[in-house]
Structure formats: structure tokens, C-alpha cells
Amino acid sequence: MAAPVVFGAGRILVDDLVGIARDRRTVVLDVVALERIGAARAIVERHLVAGVPVSGLNREFGVARDTPLTADDVTAYQSKVIRNHLGGVGAPMPVESVRAMIAARLAGWTRGGAGVRVETAVFYAELLNRDVVPVVPVAGSVGDGDLTQLAAVAAVAIGEGEAWVDGAIVPGAQALSRVGLAPLQPQAHEGLTLVGHNSYSLGVGAIALHDLTLLARTADVVSALSFQALAALGAGGNPSSFSSAVLRNSPSAGAQASGERIRTLLDGGIARPDVTAQDPLAFRTAPQVNGSFADVLVRAIALVEDTLAVASDNPIVDAESASVSSGGLFHIIPVATALDSVRTVIAQVATSSERRLAGVSDANALRRRAGSSRVPGLIGYAAADLVAELRVLATPVSSGGTGLSGGHENVATYASTALRLLWRSAALLGDVLAIEALVAVDALGVLDDTGSGADLDSGGAADAAARAGAGAGAGAGAGDGGVATDRPGLERTGAERRTLGPAAQPIRERVQAVIDTGVRGQAFIDAAAAALAG
């Protein structure tokens, strides 16, 4: 069993949240965390006794921020806050996303700026450790505190709402009872701190960025496959774009790493420096495009981890000055703009991918006419369709304003919206890269074990590919007839056909496995994307 994730003195990293979310790693609050939480709570209690006006403590908040709460109202107000924020809509979030969100809220509390009770922090840790997963609608936050999503978690904590437990959705109170927990009774100030944090944007953002980092490396592998295919077909393949002479002059660490990775993949391959002095831009700028993807992900991950490492509540409890101050730390515009930037770069990566696969497909027309191709020619149309959608998804949302809560909340980051669009962009990019890989390995003639072009249109795998293509509406057999064999590189040995760099072999095997399943239509594309991302 994996070691627990310790919250307290150390930083919480993206990989920690992924482990909690997906591997169900347990969490532990260390002594430092408990002391910070306790010290902040003591400051809140002193302010309550002294009657110092504090939003969410002895005053309401939002548009009613100056409305006093009597001593009798304070406790009842906390549950009222939770119920009033249950405004989320849309499909329930995946279990792993909810776990990541709870972990991100817990991380914020352990920095000592929220003023929550130790008992409440321990309760949320136990939700994770006992695997109680609230049902949370995905939409409803404008990014200045993921209020509606966190309210759905808090509703289960107080014995309301619904939650997954033991593989079934049950009422919140029943879910708690099944794992031996009594409903939480939130005290003064806790209603606000239970809902007022960017835990969805940070927690679920961590998962998205983690997955995209893997996809960025996949983009390098697929780029190398297309480059080798272009060379094999005699249409290009000059490897100078990936030389150290070029890469060492790039200011981008991501571009340098991408180019070196592609060069390693091409080692022992079939690059053809004698065919052309220069390949089309989509091929020779692969390190720059894929590298910019890696760079923007590094920056976004750093922002998420830096934000998890500080207290970003409102109001903020400061132990040094023993004060409780209103502010705007929840306005995570750096994270929101970073998520927007990632989508912009994803659109560029997909555009380059689609242009490469189109170039390989055009160069492979002779084999398609001969009936030797397993991948339908019009699968490239699907890639073009997806890229068009990605360009729309690249539109930034973090620049929007708002006029909520009687005009009191008059700006917003829309970080959660940026993240929701990022998930869609990531899925589409996976599809485009899958299509590029299929086109490339088909052109290389490595979709069979013989390496013989004559055998490509026989056998169960070929039939499966034809069925998949027909189901996708990709026009299997769409070609112009006629066979020619005098094009440079068209006639090549089986060894040449299968000469992929060692690191590219897993991609070839994954693509072959998808074709062998015989799945059709969108399932075909989804399976290929999942195989490549894995």
C-alpha cells in the first residue's frame, strides 16, 4: 500500500493530489498542520468574543456583508450558508475529481489561514480515508471560490446531500453512518471556510495538468512516427531540425527536451537527409510546438503547487499579527490565465499534428489506391473537425467580468470554466494525436507482423480496421484506383518498414492492439487516444 500523504510542514504537490484522487492514498495531518489550524482558530474565537466585525463570523457576507449576526444566529447561519450555496448544475464530477477537490480544501486549511476547527479538518481527512465521496455537480463556479462544488461536499459533511460509498450513491447521513462518522456540526465562521476556496480549480486542475504532461510526451512520440513515415514514403525526412546545433539555440527548455526526445526516437530509423533540404514546417517545428506545450504545463503546475502552499482564504487569519483581514486571495487569476494559456497551446499542438498527418496521408496515396492501407483516407477529415473545435476552445475566458451578489462580486476569474474547457481540449488533442499515429504507422507498414505491403489487406486485423473505419464514417476504400511503384521509397524492405526507434515500439503495439479489437466509430478513436495517452 502506498504511503499516506502528509499535510503540514511540507508542500503538497500535484503528484500528491493525483495519488489521493486516483490511488486512494490516505492522508495524515502532522503536528505542524494541527498547530497551525489550532492557532488560527484561537484567533477567530477571540474576535468572536470581542465582537470585532468579521465577514462570515459575526456578520453575514456577500451582498449582506454588513448585516450583524446575533450570538443565537451564529451557529444556525453556518448550515444556512452551505444550503444557500447548493446551486451547482450539470453531470456529477468523477469520483477522483471530488477526492482531489477535498484534498485541496484540506491543504488550504493546513496553512493556518482559514480559522477552521481542528475537528473539522480531521473530519475532511476522514472523508478521504474512509472513501466517502460526495456527489458534486460539475458546473456552477465563477472561479472566485468554487462555492457550489464545495457546498455539495459540505452538505454531505453535515449529513445532507448524497455521496458514493461502497460503490453506491446514498443519502449523505447514511453514507457517514456506514463508515462510522457522525455529521459535522459547523461552528462560527466555518460555513464560509467550508465553501470559500478554489479547491475545484486547484485539485482537479492538478489531475488535468498531470495527464497533459503525459500527453505532451506522447506528442513527441507521435511526431517522430510521422517524421519516419514521411521519410519512408520518400516525401521528406531531413533530421537536421532535431540536431544539437539547432536545439542548443532554443530559449525553451521544453523545446530542447522535445527535440532530443524526437532525435532519440529517430535513432536507427529511416530519416532521409538526401530527399529534401527542408521539411514542411509542421514537421521541423515539432520541438518548438511540443516544447511550448511542455513549458506552459511546467508553469501551470508550479502555480497550482505554489497556491496550494499558502493560505488563500477570505477573510485570512494571520497568526503573526493575530488579525482577521478581508482580502482577495481567492481571486486566482494567475491560475486561470495559465489554464487559458494551456488550451491555446493545445490548439497549436493539434493544428501541427493535423498538418503532419495530412502530409503523410497525401504521400501515402499510392498504397491507399493499391488497397494496402488499413487506415481510411478520410480519417484526416475527423482530425480537421476536432482541430476546428479546439480553436474555439482556445478562446480565453479569464478576461470576463461579472455582476453577481448585488454587484458586490463584480469581477471573476472563471478559473473553473477554464478548467472545464481544458478537460475537453485534452480529450480532443488525444484524439488528434491518435489519428496521427494511426496514419503514420499505417504508412510505415507496421500494422502487421510481416512487414509486407501485400499482406496489409488480409487477415483479421485488416478486417477489423476496415470495420472501424466504416463505423467512423471515414470512407474506407475512398481512393482513386491505380497502382504505381516507381515513387522513391515506396518499395522498401520489411526491415525498413518496421525500423522504429526503441521508445516508439510501445506506440506501435498500442495502435495494433486497438485495431485488433475491431471497435468502430468514435469508440475506435477513443480507444486509440486512451492507448496512446497510457
Side-chain angles (χ1 to χ4, degrees), residues 56-73:
L57 176 62
N58 48 24
R59 298 291 187 276
E60 296 187 21
F61 61 91
V63 70
R65 59 196 176 277
D66 293 321
T67 302
L69 290 170
T70 67
D72 294 336
D73 292 336

Side-chain angles (χ1 to χ4, degrees), residues 28-29 35 69 95 118 158 162 194 196 221 231 234 236 248 254 269 281 293 341 367-368 417 449 458 504 533:
V28 172
L29 302 179
E35 288 178 348
L69 290 170
V95 165
V118 168
I158 65 173
E162 292 182 319
L194 286 167
V221 176
R248 75 167 63 102
L281 276 173
F293 189 18
S341 296
R367 286 183 64 252
R368 200 159 50 247
T417 312
D449 293 328
S458 63

Side-chain angles (χ1 to χ4, degrees), residues 420-506:
R420 195 164 65 247
L421 297 178
L422 180 59
W423 275 114
R424 175 63 178 161
S425 293
L428 294 179
L429 176 60
D431 289 349
V432 174
L433 290 174
I435 294 171
E436 182 186 358
L438 289 170
V439 170
V441 295
D442 178 53
L444 283 163
V446 296
L447 292 182
D448 67 323
D449 293 328
T450 66
S452 168
D455 292 335
L456 284 174
D457 58 351
S458 63
D463 293 339
R467 290 195 301 272
D480 348 86
V483 179
T485 59
D486 57 352
R487 186 164 180 172
L490 186 64
E491 293 182 322
R492 56 198 186 278
T493 68
E496 284 177 327
R497 292 174 187 272
R498 295 193 304 275
T499 306
L500 300 174
Q505 284 298 329

Side-chain angles (χ1 to χ4, degrees), residues 136-164:
V136 180
V138 69
S141 168
V142 296
D144 276 34
D146 297 321
L147 305 172
T148 61
Q149 289 103 328
L150 281 170
V153 174
V156 171
I158 65 173
E160 301 176 10
E162 292 182 319
W164 283 96

